[in-house]
Amino acid sequence: MAGGLAALLDDVAVLARMAAASTDDIAAAAGRASVKAAGVVVDDTAVTPQYVRDADPSRELPIIRKIAMGSLGNKAVIIVAALLLSQFLPWILTPILMCGGLYLCYEGAEKVWERVSGHHEEAAPVVEKGPDAEKRMVRGAVTTDFILSAEIMVIALNEVADEPFWSRAAILVVVGLLITALVYGVVAVIVKMDDVGLHLAGKDSPRAQRFGLGMVKAMPTVLEVISFVGMLAMLWVGGHILLVGLDELGVTAPYHLVHLLEEPAAAVAGVGTVLGWLVNTGCSLIFGLTVGAVVVAIAHVIPRGHGKRGSDTAGLDGAGSDGAGSGAPTAGATGTGTGTGTADAAGSGRRPEH
């Protein structure tokens, strides 16, 4: 009896060690997958604070909590769909991933164009007053998060595609929880930083006052740095996804060229690993910017030029035909701005400033 109990305890110990090792493997794989999704994560962190701009300070954290819960729901749906695709249609993951990479390149290149051209449209207030407006804003933010979450989870899945089914499932769950907590935790800190700074500025201590005012003044710079890093990360990750995807589809020349440039840098003693990574990242960024610039030109510059001329002509005809009639188009335009501006900024419109 004692021998049987000892054998059972040994079996339990072996199983516990196997479970611990499996947990370590899942954690390590989840960490690697999360790093690959860095571009989308940084971008998500930079964008989300805009959804609570102009909101009542007492509603900022509840709004972020609602968006975070919606994000978890998005990731749950995406994980199930991604696992089924990886199990039964694994070949489709590369095209889906490349579509996400193309989108990242487009987003990054559009941000570059705005910085170079100095063209920034003024954003409409994201949050109106009242519970109905808050519900619309949260719903729109969760819809936008679905796109970001899909990119994150597909990137993560691609990194662990060789793992067994249940390991892939566990890794994706860990990645989803980790990234959601990271993004919305950082967002909560960012949006409350002004309040903390103002609270400290009202203290009697001159040191606390200076520190509080410094926090308030630093917030625009912090958001700008996050936005800039997010822009570079999107171009890097998007370009790398496209290079690897093309290589897997048989178009090997672009990524082969990157490897040729990377090898001499990687051979430098002591710092070769870092230099090789920098070369690979720089090439991926340039490739992503090039592809993204083409997409921006096709999607925005060319159509916008023709559309604007047509709109201007229509507007002149309407104004010239009847002075009294021009008031109706003006009212209609105003109604459109107030009726859909919030939905565009907080909903399907990925960036309020576009």
Side-chain angles (χ1 to χ4, degrees):
M1 184 69 176
L5 179 59
L8 177 61
L9 292 177
D10 286 341
D11 291 341
V12 171
V14 170
L15 290 174
R17 285 194 295 270
M18 292 175 60
S22 177
T23 302
D24 290 342
D25 292 341
I26 290 173
R32 293 194 300 270
S34 299
V35 170
K36 285 294 184 180
V40 190
V41 172
V42 176
D43 183 48
D44 200 2
T45 306
V47 171
T48 307
Q50 299 181 40
Y51 291 119
V52 294
R53 181 171 56 86
D54 298 334
D56 188 304
S58 65
R59 298 301 304 160
E60 288 176 345
L61 293 183
I63 289 173
I64 292 172
R65 182 169 60 249
K66 290 180 180 179
I67 298 175
M69 296 304 296
S71 179
L72 288 175
N74 288 339
K75 290 180 175 66
V77 173
I78 293 166
I79 286 173
V80 173
L83 286 172
L84 292 175
L85 288 175
S86 67
Q87 188 70 17
F88 299 106
L89 296 172
W91 57 268
I92 205 172
L93 289 180
T94 295
I96 292 176
L97 192 62
M98 291 181 69
C99 289
L102 188 64
Y103 179 75
L104 289 176
C105 293
Y106 159 73
E107 285 281 289
E110 191 169 47
K111 285 179 173 289
V112 172
W113 170 249
E114 289 179 351
R115 289 174 179 271
V116 172
S117 65
H119 175 70
H120 293 274
E121 295 182 5
E122 291 296 327
V126 176
V127 179
E128 299 173 357
K129 300 299 182 182
D132 290 339
E134 182 176 306
K135 289 180 181 178
R136 288 196 302 270
M137 187 278 302
V138 171
R139 185 166 56 249
V142 172
T143 301
T144 299
D145 176 88
F146 189 87
I147 299 173
L148 298 171
S149 295
E151 293 173 0
I152 290 170
M153 301 318 298
V154 173
I155 291 172
L157 178 60
N158 189 65
E159 289 301 305
V160 296
D162 296 333
E163 297 287 337
F165 179 84
W166 291 113
S167 293
R168 292 201 305 271
I171 290 167
L172 291 182
V173 169
V174 171
V175 170
L177 293 173
L178 176 66
I179 287 180
T180 303
L182 173 64
V183 168
Y184 291 100
V186 172
V187 168
V189 172
I190 289 175
V191 300
K192 300 307 292 184
M193 197 73 76
D194 286 343
D195 295 338
V196 174
L198 291 174
H199 177 73
L200 292 176
K203 294 287 186 179
D204 295 332
S205 171
R207 180 177 298 179
Q209 292 177 2
R210 288 194 300 270
F211 186 74
L213 292 174
M215 290 177 61
V216 174
K217 292 179 180 179
M219 283 314 300
T221 302
V222 171
L223 291 174
E224 174 64 20
V225 170
I226 292 175
S227 178
F228 184 76
V229 172
M231 177 188 72
L232 296 182
M234 280 190 293
L235 292 172
W236 155 49
V237 175
H240 186 76
I241 289 172
L242 292 179
L243 285 170
V244 174
L246 289 172
D247 189 64
E248 292 179 358
L249 295 177
V251 184
T252 60
Y255 206 38
H256 180 67
L257 176 61
V258 173
H259 280 306
L260 288 178
L261 296 173
E262 181 183 357
E263 287 175 358
V268 177
V271 294
T273 302
V274 175
L275 289 179
W277 181 85
L278 288 175
V279 171
N280 190 299
T281 299
C283 291
S284 298
L285 192 152
I286 293 172
F287 185 78
L289 177 59
T290 303
V291 173
V294 173
V295 178
V296 167
I298 294 173
H300 284 277
V301 177
I302 297 175
R304 185 174 295 172
H306 293 294
K308 185 176 181 180
R309 285 195 295 273
S311 176
D312 291 344
T313 303
L316 290 173
D317 291 342
S321 60
D322 189 0
S326 62
T330 303
T334 305
T336 303
T338 57
T340 63
T342 300
D344 289 341
S348 60
R350 178 75 168 79
R351 297 288 182 272
E353 67 266 20
H354 296 342

